[in-house]
Amino acid sequence: VRGRRNPLHFGLPARLKRARENLSFGSVAEAAGISDGQIVFRLERKRGHVPRLDTVERVAYALGLSPAFLAYGIEADASPPTDGLRCEGVALRLRETRTAHGLNMRALARAAGLTHTAVRSTETGASMPGIATVESFAVALGVSPGWLAYGLGPMEHQGDDVRQVTSAKPRLDRSTVGKSPTSSRCEQRRQAAANTASAANMTQDLTCALATG
């Protein structure tokens, strides 16, 4: 994308191609427990194709890679879990991070440039999100997409790649969440009244001092 840094997941096809080397798409799919080699082919060759977290995780383990690296280029543990997939925890990580920031689902959706339905379906586990959706959530929340998607690496990633992608969108100003313009104006009026009262008291004290001097 011209004029700003591309999202981290844009590099997945190139990372997959380097890791696959001379392996066929079918052999990678078989090792990943995926029935159709065309799924792996689309990951690498189909422009604009955005896979789900679980697909990327299965392919990553088949190639001996960390899913955080394959999806976002973030170096992390490449060992598969003993039970299930790491991406199955994305619902809990998203919900806990959102609530820790004091955001409701609609506020997060607006900050991420996504729909309220995308937030709800991810948090409830109704659907497995794609790597682009999770990266948008991560940018809005200021966390590493590798951590949010797979629970890998530090929550607050300090790598250059993550700082670059977070600069693509304005960071959420959490100090304004839950405050309406009306409440802000009322606060300004109260402060102005307090300042006026303080000035009046200082004038009265000065007058008394001159009168008794």
Side-chain angles (χ1 to χ4, degrees), residues 19-35:
R20 189 176 59 81
E21 295 183 349
N22 296 324
L23 296 173
S24 68
F25 294 115
S27 62
V28 174
E30 183 178 0
I34 297 173
S35 59

Side-chain angles (χ1 to χ4, degrees), residues 2-199:
R2 297 183 63 180
R4 63 178 176 84
R5 296 283 183 177
N6 285 334
L8 300 179
H9 72 270
F10 275 23
L12 182 149
R15 290 188 288 270
L16 175 57
K17 184 177 181 179
R18 287 195 300 270
R20 189 176 59 81
E21 295 183 349
N22 296 324
L23 296 173
S24 68
F25 294 115
S27 62
V28 174
E30 183 178 0
I34 297 173
S35 59
D36 188 358
Q38 284 297 308
I39 294 176
V40 181
F41 173 84
R42 287 194 293 270
L43 289 182
E44 184 178 315
R45 301 287 180 85
K46 187 176 181 181
R47 185 178 180 85
H49 176 64
V50 181
R52 300 189 324 181
L53 297 185
D54 54 339
T55 301
V56 173
E57 185 168 358
R58 294 179 190 279
V59 172
Y61 293 146
L63 294 169
L65 300 175
S66 164
F69 175 76
L70 184 56
Y72 305 112
I74 298 172
E75 294 287 354
D77 183 13
S79 61
T82 56
D83 185 34
L85 295 173
R86 296 184 187 275
C87 63
E88 292 168 358
V90 66
L92 179 61
R93 288 188 291 272
L94 180 61
R95 182 168 62 253
E96 290 187 342
T97 306
R98 174 182 61 79
T99 55
H101 288 313
L103 302 175
N104 59 34
M105 289 187 181
R106 293 188 183 280
L108 174 57
R110 287 193 297 270
L114 299 169
T115 65
H116 171 245
T117 302
V119 180
R120 185 177 64 249
S121 62
T122 299
E123 289 194 2
T124 60
S127 64
M128 180 62 69
I131 58 175
T133 296
V134 173
E135 186 168 357
S136 294
F137 287 146
V139 170
L141 293 168
V143 300
S144 164
W147 175 83
L148 187 60
Y150 300 109
L152 292 170
M155 179 179 180
E156 298 286 344
H157 198 282
Q158 298 302 315
D160 290 340
D161 286 343
V162 173
R163 286 201 300 271
Q164 289 165 358
V165 72
T166 55
S167 67
K169 291 185 180 181
R171 292 292 295 276
L172 187 64
D173 184 0
R174 299 179 184 91
S175 65
T176 62
V177 174
K179 292 184 178 180
S180 67
T182 300
S183 64
S184 297
R185 287 195 295 270
C186 289
E187 181 63 29
Q188 291 171 0
R189 292 193 188 101
R190 284 195 294 269
Q191 186 61 47
N195 292 339
T196 300
S198 177

